[in-house]
Amino acid sequence: MNDIAERFQHVRSQIRHAVSIAGRPRGSVQLLAVSKTKPAGDIATLYRLGQRHFAENYLQEALGKQRQLSAFNITWHFIGPIQSNKTKPIATHFAWVHSVDRLKIAQRLSEQRPAHLPPLNICLQVNISAEDSKSGVSLEDLPALVEEVRMLPNLRLRGVMAIPEAESNYAKQRQPYRRLCQAVKELNRPELDSYSFGMSGDLKAAIMEGATMVRIGTALFGERQYD
Ligand SMILES: *Cc1c(COP(=O)(O)O)cnc(C)c1O
């Protein structure tokens, strides 16, 4: 399987299958195509097959592809680490940001969101594997951050994003997502309707635990040469 069209069909059928065995409604999981390091031509190929949501990690690279693809009606998601001096272009050129993990970044995104655009959709990145090296707010600090971010005028807080430690065991893949989903439900904020969970290696576990958006790179575009 080395062509984008075949991979796309395969990923979509994996999603449909997981949604069905999870007993969840059809269409309740959205596919985000993670196109980092891949050329604009690959994005165009997938777009022509019907894909509309694309996610990028590196700002300069993303802006370049956005310029090349400006004729396409793409919804762009930013999923990479955010430095505070990069918030303005992120607030300007994306519809969703999944990697907000501190108030200062959220405040800057809100201040810098252009007035003519709708509120910027935000997921808070949560560190559920408790690894020091990974970014993300701790589960413990999540409720306070939710309360602060939801008050910012030009943002729309939608939910959470997580990147658990890589794990090949299916049951173990599910655990961190279950814990985070439970923690979010306990906040009793029905507007938090988005769970950005799951990558190529744990898509099924993520969907079983409530993912509403899966972020898929390798399984769609093939292995990356660099990261
Ligand atoms: C690269 C990346 C992905 C996609 O990973 P694959 O394993 O290639 O599917 C998803 N989410 C984030 C945050 C990433 O950086």
Side-chain angles (χ1 to χ4, degrees):
M1 229 179 352
N2 42 25
D3 129 303
I4 288 180
E6 267 180 59
R7 290 204 202 90
F8 184 48
Q9 291 313 325
H10 182 67
V11 167
R12 291 207 300 182
S13 83
Q14 281 182 297
I15 293 172
R16 275 196 304 271
H17 179 68
V19 164
S20 127
I21 59 174
R24 297 179 50 193
R26 243 200 287 178
S28 56
V29 177
Q30 186 175 54
L31 171 60
L32 300 194
V34 177
S35 43
K36 66 178 173 212
T37 82
K38 298 295 178 182
D42 285 1
I43 297 175
T45 299
L46 212 47
Y47 183 92
R48 291 193 191 96
L49 295 166
Q51 178 66 23
R52 291 293 178 269
H53 288 258
F54 290 87
E56 290 279 345
N57 292 60
Y58 310 110
L59 182 64
Q60 290 314 315
E61 181 193 328
L63 296 179
K65 289 184 228 177
Q66 289 181 349
R67 274 190 295 274
Q68 288 175 272
L69 297 162
S70 58
F72 293 66
N73 183 24
I74 290 175
T75 301
W76 292 100
H77 297 244
F78 191 81
I79 62 173
I82 305 172
Q83 292 164 281
S84 58
N85 62 347
K86 301 284 174 58
T87 49
K88 188 164 184 189
I90 293 174
T92 306
H93 296 285
F94 291 84
W96 283 76
V97 180
H98 296 230
S99 42
V100 173
D101 64 358
R102 55 197 194 277
L103 181 61
K104 181 184 171 198
I105 296 294
Q107 283 169 330
R108 291 177 64 94
L109 291 171
S110 180
E111 282 159 19
Q112 294 169 334
R113 180 68 168 171
H116 68 280
L117 293 177
L120 182 60
N121 293 294
I122 299 292
C123 288
L124 298 177
Q125 182 174 349
V126 184
N127 182 352
I128 38 176
S129 298
E131 280 177 286
D132 292 341
S133 59
K134 286 243 173 75
S135 33
V137 63
S138 67
L139 260 186
E140 193 183 13
D141 294 337
L142 177 64
L145 188 59
V146 164
E147 290 312 306
E148 290 167 324
V149 173
R150 61 186 285 277
M151 303 310 291
L152 296 172
N154 301 316
L155 304 185
R156 184 169 168 209
L157 181 60
R158 299 297 301 272
V160 289
M161 187 271 260
I163 314 172
E165 220 172 318
E167 168 61 65
S168 55
N169 179 278
Y170 171 69
K172 287 188 183 154
Q173 286 177 346
R174 292 179 60 162
Q175 286 166 8
Y177 293 130
R178 181 174 319 163
R179 227 178 322 126
L180 177 52
C181 211
Q182 187 58 38
V184 172
K185 298 230 152 85
E186 283 166 11
L187 298 174
N188 265 316
R189 293 269 174 217
E191 72 270 28
L192 302 182
D193 60 3
S194 301
Y195 296 84
S196 175
F197 289 175
M199 321 205 306
S200 298
D202 66 352
L203 172 164
K204 183 177 174 193
I207 290 174
M208 292 302 287
E209 297 301 337
T212 62
M213 292 183 279
V214 289
R215 307 179 311 273
I216 308 297
T218 309
L220 285 172
F221 295 108
E223 296 289 338
R224 288 180 290 274
Q225 299 302 307
Y226 66 96
D227 231 305

